[in-house]
């Protein structure tokens, strides 16, 4: 893609030269037949038309690119049309006058004061051509902006569907359900009161998964309630081998991508050893306008079961709602993921 763009830029001067040459010859044949009487007249007429054509063509494209970089079609379309038309007309008139004055002086030896009337008579035709070019550039620019916005929206839909599928598959996976039912079967015989509490927490967990699967964002306080149920199940299973500390106070206007914290905690458990000899410690804390999920690093081999798609999907979703990126900070002993807290106005 990059080599193709470089090739286009290299061919552009050739296109300018050939196009301006063709326009110059056409103008000579159609409107300046007297220039065909001799080689001297032909050359002067050709370079006259060529200088006007190249100044208008190249200059208008440069003006268009400058405006395109600074004003967005999506955010301010009316402003862009107005600025583009005015800029095109202003540049065309200025460039035409300057080039014409230079040509009169170079080829005919006429001073600016003597050539001014002739230039003024020709100026309306230049402005008309500039207006037509401005409308063409505007139509082309609007079409490509609309096309890019449409493609971006379609890409987001695909990413959202992939994320929702991956999230649901991760949350209700056979391993998690199997381990939870194993723990529950032991509790039924050993501690019936704890078994009842375990069932309630498991029910709350799956209810949240079902309720949030069609939502783009959820209140942070709801995510934290879900995490309490999830961590209760994990602690019941691992007991003292797993320590999870959640120190977050949520405000009503704070939101998050559903099941973000659950995925980060589950990844920590999945990719690290959890044993009496090597207990895993996970902390979830709020720092300014971000959430940090940190664990001590004691990696284990998870084989082909790890596809590393969960964090990628979350990163894509947060990128749609906020310009703040997700950060991963690692050291020999610690692993931390920092995600931005989203505000309701960002939705």
């Amino acid at each position: 893609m990059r080599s193709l763009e470089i090739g286009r830029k290299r061919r552009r001067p050739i296109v300018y030269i050939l196009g301006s040459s063709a326009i110059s010859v056409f103008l000579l044949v159609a409107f300046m037949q007297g220039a065909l009487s001799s080689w001297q007249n032909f050359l002067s007429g050709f370079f006259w038309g060529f200088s006007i054509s190249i100044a208008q063509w190249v200059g208008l494209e440069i003006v268009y690119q400058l405006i395109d970089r600074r004003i967005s079609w999506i955010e301010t379309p009316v402003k862009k049309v107005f600025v583009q038309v005015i800029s095109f007309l202003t540049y065309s008139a200025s460039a035409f006058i300057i080039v014409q004055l230079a040509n009169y002086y170079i080829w005919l030896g006429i001073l600016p004061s003597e050539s001014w009337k002739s230039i003024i008579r020709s100026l309306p035709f230049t402005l008309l051509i500039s207006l037509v070019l401005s409308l063409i550039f505007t139509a082309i620019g609007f079409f490509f902006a609309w096309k890019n916005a449409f493609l971006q929206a379609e890409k987001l839909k695909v990413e959202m569907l992939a994320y929702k599928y991956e999230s649901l598959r991760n949350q209700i996976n056979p391993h998690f359900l199997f381990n939870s039912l194993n723990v529950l079967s032991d509790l039924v015989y050993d501690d019936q009161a704890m078994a009842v509490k375990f069932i309630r927490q498991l029910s709350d967990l799956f209810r949240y998964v079902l309720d949030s699967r069609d939502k783009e964002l959820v209140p942070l306080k709801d995510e934290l309630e879900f995490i309490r149920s999830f961590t209760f199940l994990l602690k019941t299973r691992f007991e003292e081998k797993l320590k999870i500390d959640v120190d977050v106070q949520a405000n009503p206007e704070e939101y998050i991508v559903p099941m973000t914290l659950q995925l980060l905690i589950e990844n920590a458990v999945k990719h690290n050893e959890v044993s009496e000899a090597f207990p895993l410690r996970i902390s979830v804390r709020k720092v300014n306008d971000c959430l940090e999920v940190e664990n001590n690093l004691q990696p284990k081999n998870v084989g082909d079961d790890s596809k590393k798609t969960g964090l990628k999907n979350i990163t894509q979703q947060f990128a749609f709602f906020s310009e703040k990126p997700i950060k991963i900070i690692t050291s020999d002993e610690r692993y931390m993921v920092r995600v931005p807290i989203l505000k309701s106005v960002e939705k």
Side-chain angles (χ1 to χ4, degrees):
M1 182 65 69
R2 183 175 177 81
S3 61
L4 181 62
E5 184 67 23
I6 293 175
R8 289 175 180 172
K9 290 181 179 180
R10 289 177 177 174
R11 290 194 298 269
R12 193 169 292 170
I14 299 176
V15 174
Y16 290 152
I17 294 173
L18 294 178
S20 297
S21 299
I23 293 173
S24 300
V25 173
F26 171 77
L27 292 176
L28 287 175
V29 174
F31 304 104
M32 302 173 62
Q33 296 180 357
L36 303 178
S37 59
S38 66
W39 279 105
Q40 292 82 357
N41 290 340
F42 175 80
L43 288 176
S44 63
F46 175 81
F47 284 109
W48 196 309
F50 181 85
S51 61
I52 294 174
S53 176
I54 200 75
Q56 293 293 323
W57 192 346
V58 177
L60 288 177
E61 184 167 349
I62 292 174
V63 171
Y64 172 78
Q65 291 177 354
L66 291 174
I67 296 173
D68 194 51
R69 293 193 193 105
R70 288 168 172 76
I71 305 177
S72 170
W73 271 115
I74 305 301
E75 297 176 359
T76 53
V78 176
K79 177 182 177 182
K80 183 154 188 172
V81 172
F82 179 78
V83 171
Q84 188 162 286
V85 171
I86 297 300
S87 299
F88 270 43
L89 294 178
T90 302
Y91 171 82
S92 291
S94 303
F96 179 77
I97 292 173
I98 293 172
V99 173
Q100 283 283 65
L101 289 174
N103 279 318
Y104 271 110
Y105 184 76
I106 293 173
W107 299 107
L108 302 179
I110 298 177
L111 297 175
S113 58
E114 300 171 355
S115 59
W116 190 255
K117 292 182 179 180
S118 177
I119 294 174
I120 293 298
R121 286 197 300 268
S122 304
L123 185 59
F125 297 100
T126 300
L127 293 177
L128 179 61
I129 294 173
S130 175
L131 180 61
V132 172
L133 291 175
S134 174
L135 296 176
I136 292 174
F137 274 105
T138 299
I140 293 174
F142 179 80
F143 171 76
F144 280 106
W146 171 82
K147 182 180 178 181
N148 290 335
F150 176 78
L151 292 177
Q152 188 68 23
E154 290 300 311
K155 180 181 178 182
L156 176 64
K157 288 180 182 178
V158 173
E159 291 176 353
M160 290 290 288
L161 289 174
Y163 169 71
K164 289 177 180 178
Y165 168 77
E166 187 67 26
S167 295
L168 190 59
R169 192 179 67 86
N170 284 339
Q171 308 318 316
I172 314 179
N173 66 71
H175 295 291
F176 177 78
L177 185 58
F178 177 77
N179 291 328
S180 297
L181 292 178
N182 275 342
V183 173
L184 179 59
S185 64
D186 293 336
L187 289 176
V188 168
Y189 293 102
D190 298 336
D191 191 340
Q192 293 184 3
M194 180 62 72
V196 172
K197 186 176 181 181
F198 189 92
I199 292 173
R200 288 176 178 171
Q201 297 291 340
L202 187 62
S203 175
D204 291 342
L205 185 147
F206 280 96
R207 184 183 298 110
Y208 178 83
V209 171
L210 294 175
D211 290 344
S212 63
R213 62 180 176 176
D214 294 325
K215 297 178 181 178
E216 296 176 346
L217 296 177
V218 295
L220 179 57
K221 63 180 183 62
D222 293 349
E223 179 82 359
L224 292 174
E225 292 176 3
F226 165 69
I227 286 301
R228 291 187 183 95
S229 298
F230 180 71
T231 55
F232 175 82
L233 301 182
L234 287 177
K235 290 180 178 179
T236 304
R237 173 186 166 193
F238 290 103
E239 298 178 332
E240 296 302 318
K241 294 175 286 187
L242 176 64
K243 300 182 183 298
I244 302 177
D245 179 30
V246 180
D247 183 17
V248 179
Q249 296 295 325
N251 296 323
E253 72 278 4
E254 295 176 335
Y255 287 76
I256 193 171
V257 173
M259 293 173 282
T260 296
L261 296 178
Q262 183 273 338
L263 177 62
L264 296 178
I265 293 174
E266 188 177 50
N267 276 351
V269 174
K270 179 179 179 181
H271 293 88
N272 292 274
E273 181 177 352
V274 186
S275 63
E276 293 182 358
F278 298 97
L280 182 65
R281 295 179 295 277
I282 303 173
S283 65
V284 181
R285 57 183 175 267
K286 183 179 180 181
V287 179
N288 298 325
D289 55 352
C290 294
L291 293 174
E292 295 180 349
V293 179
E294 184 180 43
N295 62 272
N296 55 317
L297 198 58
Q298 40 199 40
K300 67 178 180 181
N301 183 16
V302 295
D304 296 333
D305 192 42
S306 175
K307 297 181 176 59
K308 300 180 180 179
T309 57
L311 188 57
K312 179 180 177 182
N313 287 335
I314 287 180
T315 301
Q316 292 172 341
Q317 299 310 304
F318 272 90
F320 175 71
F321 294 107
S322 175
E323 295 181 354
K324 299 176 182 178
I326 289 179
K327 294 184 179 180
I328 301 175
I329 303 172
T330 61
S331 66
D332 294 337
E333 299 179 351
R334 315 294 293 177
Y335 182 90
M336 184 179 73
V337 180
R338 180 181 297 156
V339 299
I341 297 175
L342 306 174
K343 304 298 182 181
S344 58
V345 295
E346 293 180 275
K347 293 173 62 179

